[in-house]
Amino acid sequence: MHTLDRVVARYAQRFPGKPALRCGNRSVSWRDLDARVDRVASALRAAGCARGDRVAILLGNCIEYWELYFACARSGC
């Protein structure tokens, strides 16, 4: 079963150097996105967010939005 928290990791293994996200003139590869999602998920846990907690995201459509979105799934928030 493929859950949302494993989507980025799975694509990072299959397509590590390919672009995962693009926003304007910025892009991030699947490998880099996976690493960034790990860091944000760790930061959420360190800040006290636990499984089942709700997290509000107030960002426009940008790379950071998707990093936080996937990090919430990975950390269980």
Side-chain angles (χ1 to χ4, degrees), residues 4-74:
L4 183 59
D5 64 321
R6 300 306 308 155
V7 168
V8 175
R10 189 173 73 244
Y11 277 85
Q13 288 177 342
R14 292 181 71 191
F15 311 108
K18 291 195 176 194
L21 298 170
R22 291 185 186 166
C23 185
N25 62 353
R26 296 174 53 213
S27 68
V28 63
S29 71
W30 284 107
R31 177 189 313 113
D32 292 341
L33 179 62
D34 187 46
R36 291 165 70 125
V37 167
D38 269 342
R39 285 194 298 275
V40 175
S42 293
L44 286 169
R45 287 189 294 271
C49 291
R51 185 163 296 281
D53 285 353
R54 293 184 177 135
V55 175
I57 303 173
L58 184 59
L59 286 171
N61 190 11
C62 59
I63 291 172
E64 292 78 13
Y65 173 89
W66 293 104
E67 290 171 354
L68 184 53
Y69 179 82
F70 286 113
C72 286
R74 190 166 289 179

